[in-house]
Amino acid sequence: MNKIKGFVCICFSIYFLATGLLNTDTSKKQPLFFDDFSQGLDRWTKETGSWSIVNGECIAKGLSLMSTGKNEWKDYICQVRMKTDRIGVNKITKKEDLYNVAFLFFRYIDINNFYSIALYADGTLTLEKKLNGISKVLKRVLTDEADPLEWNTFKVGVKGANIKVYLNGKLMIDYTDTEPVNNGKIALRSLWGDSRFDDVAVYEIDDSLQNKVPTVTASSTYPPYFPENVIDGKVDHYLNLSLIHIS
């Protein structure tokens, strides 16, 4: 009888392994938060702008921001599908501004303290931090593999001071911040244009994110980031070339 029980246990173990029921990958775990926008926006705090749901997608128009989660969140993975429908117009130049796209904020405390990622109109994936109201670009990677005007999947993993950014499943940025924002919620941002968001998920982090960064070419020729509320000077840009003139 003991031999039969042992044989049955072995068979069930093989079955569980084969079917993936014992998989401990983070993506298989119960999320801390998930929203496919099929049930409205009651789980979000609308901070600015216009938000609506159309055909199961979250639509933001103009300068819009909404957040969700807990300030106590520290180490986590956040994934979202997002798309810029219309690039926002610069208030000074009256032209489309390559920075005015869809953003994902993470470790978001308030509008003056957070991290963000976005795919600019020139194909630059940008990791930025705002700490005590001061914005700083932490890392830029130029890619021709994604278009901000199409749907893209962004995934961010934050563990301690380390930040990993994935674009459509590829690890693009691995950055360790010497003065990190240590905790915070997540938020969705549309900067003056129109943006779409879907399938927002937050998971507890594990070591599966500790992968090596693939070889990518980071641009060092782009001009420094200018705050969205800049009122002096002007910013001219094109999709593949950025020029800044300060008067």
Side-chain angles (χ1 to χ4, degrees):
M1 179 65 69
N2 288 335
K3 289 184 179 180
I4 295 176
K5 288 183 178 179
F7 176 75
V8 171
C9 289
I10 291 172
C11 289
F12 271 107
S13 296
I14 294 173
Y15 170 77
F16 288 142
L17 288 171
T19 57
L21 296 180
L22 297 182
N23 195 329
T24 58
D25 182 77
T26 302
S27 62
K28 304 299 182 182
K29 293 181 180 179
Q30 188 71 19
L32 295 173
F33 177 88
F34 176 77
D35 198 349
D36 62 1
F37 299 108
S38 61
Q39 304 295 322
L41 293 171
D42 292 343
R43 302 171 68 191
W44 295 83
T45 300
K46 300 177 187 177
E47 302 194 20
T48 60
S50 171
W51 295 90
S52 62
I53 294 177
V54 178
N55 297 324
E57 298 170 359
C58 182
I59 310 297
K61 293 185 177 296
L63 184 62
S64 301
L65 174 69
M66 70 175 184
S67 61
T68 191
K70 299 179 180 180
N71 281 337
E72 294 76 24
W73 284 356
K74 291 184 178 180
D75 296 341
Y76 57 84
I77 299 166
C78 179
Q79 180 168 294
V80 60
R81 295 174 61 238
M82 60 187 188
K83 172 181 181 286
T84 300
D85 279 343
R86 179 181 63 84
I87 298 172
V89 174
N90 185 284
K91 297 295 184 179
I92 299 169
T93 65
K94 308 303 181 183
K95 299 178 182 179
E96 289 183 345
D97 195 318
L98 87 128
Y99 307 119
N100 290 347
V101 294
F103 284 76
L104 169 65
F105 287 3
F106 55 100
R107 284 188 175 170
Y108 173 80
I109 299 296
D110 54 37
I111 196 60
N112 290 312
N113 297 276
F114 59 86
Y115 291 104
S116 71
I117 57 169
L119 183 62
Y120 290 162
D122 62 354
T124 305
L125 180 66
T126 301
L127 170 64
E128 183 185 348
K129 176 177 71 175
K130 197 170 187 180
L131 182 63
N132 298 324
I134 300 174
S135 296
K136 179 181 180 181
V137 170
L138 302 179
K139 187 78 172 180
R140 290 189 181 100
V141 175
L142 185 61
T143 176
D144 59 0
E145 298 180 7
D147 182 348
L149 299 179
E150 301 292 338
W151 281 107
N152 293 286
T153 300
F154 297 80
K155 182 168 74 171
V156 174
V158 281
K159 186 173 184 180
N162 182 253
I163 303 168
K164 287 181 169 61
V165 180
Y166 295 74
L167 178 61
N168 296 326
K170 182 178 180 180
L171 180 60
M172 301 293 287
I173 294 174
D174 187 343
Y175 184 87
T176 299
D177 192 359
T178 57
E179 191 178 5
V181 179
N182 292 311
N183 54 277
K185 301 175 287 185
I186 64 168
L188 306 178
R189 171 71 137 172
S190 182
L191 196 55
W192 299 114
D194 299 337
S195 304
R196 292 175 186 260
F197 304 88
D198 205 355
D199 300 328
V200 181
V202 180
Y203 296 88
E204 289 184 284
I205 204 165
D206 69 4
D207 290 335
S208 66
L209 280 177
Q210 306 307 311
N211 301 320
K212 294 182 179 180
V213 183
T215 301
V216 293
T217 302
S219 170
S220 60
T221 60
Y222 286 89
Y225 176 81
F226 278 76
E228 63 193 47
N229 295 323
V230 63
I231 57 175
D232 295 322
K234 64 178 181 178
V235 180
D236 293 329
H237 72 85
Y238 307 92
L239 288 181
N240 295 308
L241 179 65
S242 300
L243 301 173
I244 289 191
H245 307 281
I246 301 298
S247 57

